[in-house]
Amino acid sequence: MLFSDRRAAGRGLAAQLADRALHSEVASPFVLALPRGGVPVADEVARVLHAPLDVLVVRKIGPPFNPELGVGALTGEDPPLFDERALAMLDLTADRLGPQVARARTELHRREDLYRGGRPAPDLRGRTVVLVDDGLATGVTAHAALRAVRRGEPARVVLAAPVCSVEAATALGAEADDVVCAHRPRPFGSVGQWYADFEQVSDDEVIDTLRAAHAPG
C-alpha cells in the first residue's frame, strides 16, 4: 500500500476510526496530532470524527552522528525517554546525549510557543484521546507522547497512524488502549517510503491548520 500524501492517508485512517466510533470505541473524541508530520493526517481524522484538534509537541533525540535516528524523545518538561535497546546497539548511554537533549528541549519550546500562540493546553479529562502521527517506526516519540497524555486523565487513549512497523505497534499496544494502523508492512523500512509525497510539513502549515480548526464556527 502506498499513500499519495498525508491527507489521503488521514482520510483512510479516519474511515477506520469512524467505524470504531459507531461501536462506541471512540466516544467523545479529542484528536491530538504529533507535529509536524502528524498534523495534516490528524486534521482529516478530526474532520471525519467532528472532533477538536490540537497538537502535542514531542521532539526526537538522535545520536550526534545521525540526528534523524530516534533513540529517545521528550515532551514538555518531562525527563527524556530513551530506547535502551537502541542505545545498547549503538554503544551509547543517556548521559552522553546531554547536548542533544538540550537542543531538542529548546526546539520543543520554540514549537510549543509558535503553534499554541498563548492558547492553553487542552483539557483531556474524560475524553477519548486519538493521538495521531504520520507513521510509527521505532515508536519512541509516540511512547513519550502517550506518557504525557495519560497525565491528562483521559478516559481512553487511541494511538493512530496510517502506517506502522509491526514491532512498534505491538510494543505501543501495552501503552495505549488501542492502536489503529491502516497498514503494517513487513519489512517496514522507513515511514517515508510508504508515501508518494512525503514532503516536509512546514511550521506555517501547522499554524494555518490549527488556526482553521480553532476558528469560530
Side-chain angles (χ1 to χ4, degrees), residues 3 23 34 70-71 86 96 108 111 118 132 165 198 205-206:
F3 301 106
H23 296 88
L34 297 185
V71 297
R96 289 174 56 192
L108 182 148
R111 293 192 186 193
V132 179
S165 72
F198 199 63
E205 182 177 347
V206 172

Side-chain angles (χ1 to χ4, degrees), residues 124-205:
L124 304 177
R125 286 174 294 181
R127 306 294 294 261
T128 296
V129 175
V130 183
L131 188 65
V132 179
D133 204 356
D134 56 6
L136 303 175
T138 65
V140 66
T141 53
H143 190 176
L146 287 167
R147 184 177 64 176
V149 167
R150 287 291 187 192
R151 284 202 307 277
E153 301 180 1
R156 183 174 171 80
V157 182
V158 177
L159 179 62
V163 60
C164 311
S165 72
V166 172
E167 294 77 11
T170 300
L172 291 165
E175 303 292 331
D177 296 300
D178 195 7
V179 177
V180 180
C181 293
H183 187 38
R184 302 188 188 195
R186 190 192 288 273
F188 181 80
S190 66
V191 172
Q193 78 179 63
W194 303 104
Y195 287 84
D197 177 1
F198 199 63
E199 185 177 349
Q200 188 176 59
V201 176
S202 68
D203 283 339
D204 286 343
E205 182 177 347

Side-chain angles (χ1 to χ4, degrees), residues 34-102:
L34 297 185
R36 292 180 292 206
V39 171
V41 181
D43 188 38
E44 297 295 333
V45 169
R47 290 171 187 270
V48 170
L49 296 183
H50 304 289
L53 172 69
D54 215 317
V55 292
L56 175 62
V57 182
V58 182
R59 287 299 296 160
K60 179 170 57 179
I61 301 166
F65 51 83
N66 186 357
E68 293 304 312
L69 177 64
V71 297
L74 57 88
T75 184
E77 295 302 325
D78 287 355
L81 179 71
F82 289 103
D83 182 336
E84 297 296 338
R85 183 177 172 210
L87 290 181
M89 289 176 61
L90 297 169
D91 194 26
L92 288 171
T93 58
D95 57 4
R96 289 174 56 192
L97 294 172
Q100 285 72 34
V101 171

